[in-house]
Short mmCIF file of all heavy atoms in Angstrom, two decimals:
data_model
loop_
_atom_site.label_atom_id
_atom_site.label_comp_id
_atom_site.label_asym_id
_atom_site.label_seq_id
_atom_site.Cartn_x
_atom_site.Cartn_y
_atom_site.Cartn_z
N ALA R 182 155.09 36.62 -125.10
CA ALA R 182 156.21 37.04 -125.94
C ALA R 182 157.17 35.87 -126.20
O ALA R 182 157.92 35.89 -127.19
CB ALA R 182 156.96 38.19 -125.27
N ALA R 183 157.15 34.87 -125.33
CA ALA R 183 158.05 33.73 -125.49
C ALA R 183 157.56 32.85 -126.64
O ALA R 183 156.37 32.74 -126.88
CB ALA R 183 158.10 32.93 -124.20
N THR R 184 158.50 32.25 -127.37
CA THR R 184 158.11 31.41 -128.51
C THR R 184 157.86 29.97 -128.05
O THR R 184 158.36 29.54 -127.01
CB THR R 184 159.20 31.40 -129.59
OG1 THR R 184 160.43 31.05 -128.97
CG2 THR R 184 159.30 32.76 -130.25
N GLY R 185 157.09 29.25 -128.83
CA GLY R 185 156.78 27.85 -128.52
C GLY R 185 155.51 27.44 -129.21
O GLY R 185 154.82 28.27 -129.79
N ASP R 186 155.20 26.15 -129.13
CA ASP R 186 153.96 25.66 -129.73
C ASP R 186 152.76 26.24 -129.00
O ASP R 186 152.81 26.45 -127.79
CB ASP R 186 153.90 24.13 -129.64
CG ASP R 186 154.93 23.48 -130.57
OD1 ASP R 186 155.33 24.14 -131.54
OD2 ASP R 186 155.35 22.35 -130.27
N PRO R 187 151.65 26.49 -129.73
CA PRO R 187 150.45 27.00 -129.06
C PRO R 187 149.96 26.03 -128.00
O PRO R 187 150.00 24.81 -128.19
CB PRO R 187 149.42 27.13 -130.19
CG PRO R 187 150.18 27.04 -131.46
CD PRO R 187 151.46 26.30 -131.17
N LEU R 188 149.48 26.57 -126.89
CA LEU R 188 148.93 25.75 -125.80
C LEU R 188 147.44 26.03 -125.67
O LEU R 188 146.94 27.02 -126.22
CB LEU R 188 149.65 26.08 -124.48
CG LEU R 188 151.16 25.80 -124.46
CD1 LEU R 188 151.74 26.16 -123.11
CD2 LEU R 188 151.46 24.35 -124.80
N THR R 189 146.75 25.17 -124.93
CA THR R 189 145.29 25.32 -124.85
C THR R 189 144.85 26.36 -123.83
O THR R 189 143.72 26.81 -123.87
CB THR R 189 144.62 23.98 -124.52
OG1 THR R 189 145.21 23.44 -123.35
CG2 THR R 189 144.76 23.00 -125.67
N ASP R 190 145.73 26.72 -122.89
CA ASP R 190 145.35 27.80 -121.98
C ASP R 190 146.54 28.70 -121.67
O ASP R 190 147.69 28.36 -121.95
CB ASP R 190 144.66 27.27 -120.71
CG ASP R 190 145.61 26.68 -119.69
OD1 ASP R 190 146.77 26.37 -120.06
OD2 ASP R 190 145.20 26.51 -118.53
N ASP R 191 146.24 29.88 -121.11
CA ASP R 191 147.28 30.88 -120.86
C ASP R 191 148.13 30.51 -119.65
O ASP R 191 149.32 30.82 -119.61
CB ASP R 191 146.61 32.25 -120.71
CG ASP R 191 145.86 32.58 -121.99
OD1 ASP R 191 146.50 33.01 -122.95
OD2 ASP R 191 144.65 32.30 -122.03
N ALA R 192 147.53 29.83 -118.69
CA ALA R 192 148.31 29.38 -117.53
C ALA R 192 149.44 28.46 -117.99
O ALA R 192 150.53 28.47 -117.41
CB ALA R 192 147.40 28.68 -116.53
N GLY R 193 149.19 27.68 -119.03
CA GLY R 193 150.23 26.79 -119.56
C GLY R 193 151.44 27.57 -120.03
O GLY R 193 152.60 27.15 -119.81
#
Side-chain angles (χ1 to χ4, degrees):
T184 53
D186 290 336
L188 299 180
T189 53
D190 77 343
D191 300 280

